[in-house]
Amino acid sequence: MTSGVSLYFRLTGLLLVLLAVLCVVAYWYAEQRSGKIVQRDVDNQLMSSAALVLATSSASRADPGAGPQPADEVTQEDLNRAVIPAFEVSDAEGTLIAISPDFPVGVGQTDDGFSERDTGTIGWRILTVRNEALGLNARLAVDLADTESLASEARTEILAPLIAVLVLLAIVVLAAIWIGLRPLRQIEAEIGRLDPIRMARLDLDADKMPRELSRLTRTLDDLLDRLQKLIRHQKAFVSAAGHELRTPLAGCSTQLEVARRSREPAQRDKALEKLDQGLSRMGTLVEQLMIIARSEQSSLKDRATVFQLGELLEEIRDTLSSEKHRVTLRTDARQIRLSGHPDLIRSMVTNLVRNAIRASPPTEPVEVSLKSTRDGALIKVCDRGHGMNAEQKSQVFDSFHSGSGGTGLGLTIVNAVINAHEGQISIRDRHPRGVCIEVILPTKI
């Protein structure tokens, strides 16, 4: 069976995508920022160089024999900049006074201030300055390729530490994710060590885990507790059912053997009658087992129907009153409608009434009552038997517990049906003797 991508790799993938986006944003920012910074620095350098060139040229005019001459030495020594601009200086009439060898040819006339010219293969950024006090004009030019080279270097200087910080941050985050997922790996390991036969709580301290995983751990522990209880219940169910079925089966086998070997009709008929009783008892046991199985199915809610609870209790009263005991029914709300399973409710109430009949003297009636309460429909079954002590009350609804010589399945049916309908059951003493079993079933429809 194939498994999906691990959570760690998913988070790593998301982190890498985020890192790539941040790198793109950082590159765009460096591109924009470096261009503006270099452009500003180059323009400032051109203006500073223009002032220096004009001052130097003015000093040169004081010596008439100097004539037009290159100013490479002046530019290299005094213009200590990242980009050395080319320049030319002329007087007010346009007579050339000084020019650098690399000043572009064919740029034509330029307006005062900054402008850009293309000489065919090279682009130039030119600053034109006119100084009327000195009677000089200066033009300084910088190769745009040099400007782009500076921008590239500035971009690298900006990006290098930024990318390094992002990579370092990614490594730290990946390590944090790995450490943060450690509790999940612990839960996985603990679940992998679980024995499906002997379920136990996870060997983890939920209080020391992150809040979300703490809730998950407690939920898993609760689930494991329920599974452990269910496994115990199933084991008890199989053990009790096997024991209860083995006894009538052994009796039936014995009576069948007696009937087979008996030569007297009366003895044979008696054996066959006992065999029929044993088979009837086994049929009752199987029917009870089927009721328990149906009441524990997970799809129970999908098959619920709405019925009149009072009419159902009247049917049970009429049926059981013929068993040497009188069963009375008192109801204050006959029209209580219940959403559930009528057959299961009938089995539950029938078992309660039959238990009350077994506990009560033959002359005492079993009283059944129905009333509507804030919590739902209250069904009360009261007997006048010897009552129960505290220990009996605590054990009476344990699975397959039998306190009066029965099979124990009847009380199991009661508990299973009440749990299936999300109800509640309690036992109260009745004075002067006897007990009342109260069942509350929600009436939500």
Side-chain angles (χ1 to χ4, degrees):
M1 184 178 64
T2 59
S3 59
V5 181
S6 70
L7 181 60
Y8 178 74
F9 284 113
R10 290 185 181 183
L11 293 176
T12 301
L14 291 175
L15 178 62
L16 292 177
V17 170
L18 178 61
L19 183 61
V21 172
L22 290 177
C23 287
V24 171
V25 173
Y27 181 84
W28 175 84
Y29 172 79
E31 180 81 16
Q32 300 295 320
R33 185 65 177 168
S34 62
K36 292 180 179 180
I37 291 175
V38 169
Q39 187 70 58
R40 182 191 62 196
D41 291 345
V42 168
D43 289 348
N44 290 337
Q45 182 178 341
L46 286 174
M47 289 187 291
S48 299
S49 300
L52 182 59
V53 167
L54 287 174
T56 304
S57 299
S58 177
S60 298
R61 290 182 67 185
D63 185 1
Q69 55 182 319
D72 292 350
E73 183 177 356
V74 173
T75 303
Q76 292 175 0
E77 291 180 358
D78 298 336
L79 304 180
N80 185 18
R81 299 290 186 269
V83 175
I84 300 176
F87 67 92
E88 71 170 11
V89 181
S90 60
D91 57 17
E93 288 76 19
T95 303
L96 192 61
I97 297 175
I99 185 171
S100 63
D102 53 351
F103 190 81
V105 179
V107 295
Q109 297 294 325
T110 55
D111 297 329
D112 293 350
F114 292 99
S115 60
E116 293 186 0
R117 291 289 188 271
D118 190 351
T119 59
T121 59
I122 302 176
W124 297 88
R125 183 167 179 81
I126 301 174
L127 171 63
T128 302
V129 179
R130 303 181 189 277
N131 191 320
E132 296 180 356
L134 298 177
L136 297 175
N137 301 325
R139 291 199 299 178
L140 291 89
V142 174
D143 190 342
L144 291 179
D146 294 338
T147 303
E148 179 58 32
S149 177
L150 288 176
S152 179
E153 294 177 4
R155 185 163 53 247
T156 301
E157 292 177 358
I158 295 174
L159 280 177
L162 188 58
I163 295 298
V165 170
L166 289 177
V167 172
L168 181 61
L169 180 62
I171 294 174
V172 172
V173 172
L174 286 176
I177 291 175
W178 179 259
I179 296 173
L181 292 178
R182 182 183 176 186
L184 278 180
R185 295 193 296 273
Q186 291 176 336
I187 293 175
E188 179 186 9
E190 284 296 319
I191 293 177
R193 285 195 290 265
L194 288 177
D195 186 349
I197 304 301
R198 298 176 180 176
M199 289 290 182
R201 284 177 161 245
L202 300 178
D203 187 17
L204 297 172
D205 188 354
D207 295 331
K208 295 182 179 180
M209 287 195 165
R211 182 181 305 170
E212 296 79 7
L213 295 183
S214 175
R215 291 196 296 264
L216 174 62
T217 303
R218 289 190 175 92
T219 302
L220 288 174
D221 284 338
D222 291 342
L223 175 61
L224 291 172
D225 288 342
R226 293 197 297 270
L227 287 175
Q228 190 175 21
K229 183 178 180 181
L230 178 61
I231 290 173
R232 288 199 302 266
H233 174 81
Q234 288 178 340
K235 288 181 178 179
F237 180 87
V238 172
S239 176
H243 175 75
E244 295 299 333
L245 288 174
R246 184 170 60 249
T247 301
L249 277 174
C252 289
S253 178
T254 301
Q255 296 303 324
L256 181 61
E257 187 66 22
V258 171
R260 182 183 299 167
R261 294 184 179 184
S262 178
R263 296 182 180 181
E264 298 181 5
Q267 188 178 9
R268 185 185 305 110
D269 291 342
K270 186 176 181 180
L272 291 175
E273 182 180 356
K274 291 182 177 181
L275 176 62
D276 181 65
Q277 292 175 354
L279 291 173
S280 176
R281 184 166 182 259
M282 281 195 298
T284 301
L285 285 172
V286 171
E287 181 181 357
Q288 290 177 329
L289 293 174
M290 292 298 295
I291 292 174
I292 296 173
R294 287 199 305 270
S295 67
E296 293 179 350
Q297 291 180 1
S298 59
S299 59
L300 208 58
K301 293 182 179 180
D302 298 333
R303 298 181 288 108
T305 58
V306 179
F307 61 96
Q308 295 289 347
L309 184 57
E311 295 178 359
L312 181 64
L313 296 182
E314 288 179 354
E315 295 176 8
I316 296 173
R317 178 200 60 188
D318 296 340
T319 301
L320 299 182
S321 288
S322 61
E323 296 187 5
K324 298 181 181 180
H325 280 80
R326 187 164 57 91
V327 178
T328 64
L329 174 63
R330 179 170 53 85
T331 175
D332 297 334
R334 186 175 179 276
Q335 299 301 319
I336 293 179
R337 302 177 68 195
L338 187 69
S339 176
H341 301 266
D343 292 338
L344 297 180
I345 299 296
R346 179 183 286 106
S347 298
M348 182 264 294
V349 177
T350 298
N351 277 282
L352 288 177
V353 173
R354 282 178 175 167
N355 284 341
I357 289 174
R358 283 196 295 268
S360 299
T363 57
E364 297 291 342
V366 172
E367 301 175 6
V368 181
S369 63
L370 172 65
K371 66 183 297 186
S372 178
T373 67
R374 181 179 58 183
D375 298 325
L378 172 61
I379 302 173
K380 187 184 297 185
V381 179
C382 300
D383 63 50
R384 295 185 181 275
H386 297 291
M388 296 183 185
N389 56 35
E391 182 179 1
Q392 290 174 325
K393 289 179 182 178
S394 64
Q395 297 178 352
V396 66
F397 291 111
D398 290 347
S399 297
F400 310 105
H401 171 78
S402 176
S404 57
T407 65
L409 292 177
L411 297 177
T412 303
I413 290 174
V414 170
N415 218 15
V417 172
I418 291 175
N419 290 334
H421 288 80
E422 300 179 356
Q424 303 173 13
I425 188 168
S426 60
I427 302 177
R428 299 181 184 276
D429 292 325
R430 184 182 186 185
H431 298 288
R433 62 179 181 172
V435 295
C436 288
I437 297 181
E438 298 180 356
V439 176
I440 296 179
L441 297 175
T443 56
K444 55 185 179 181
I445 298 177

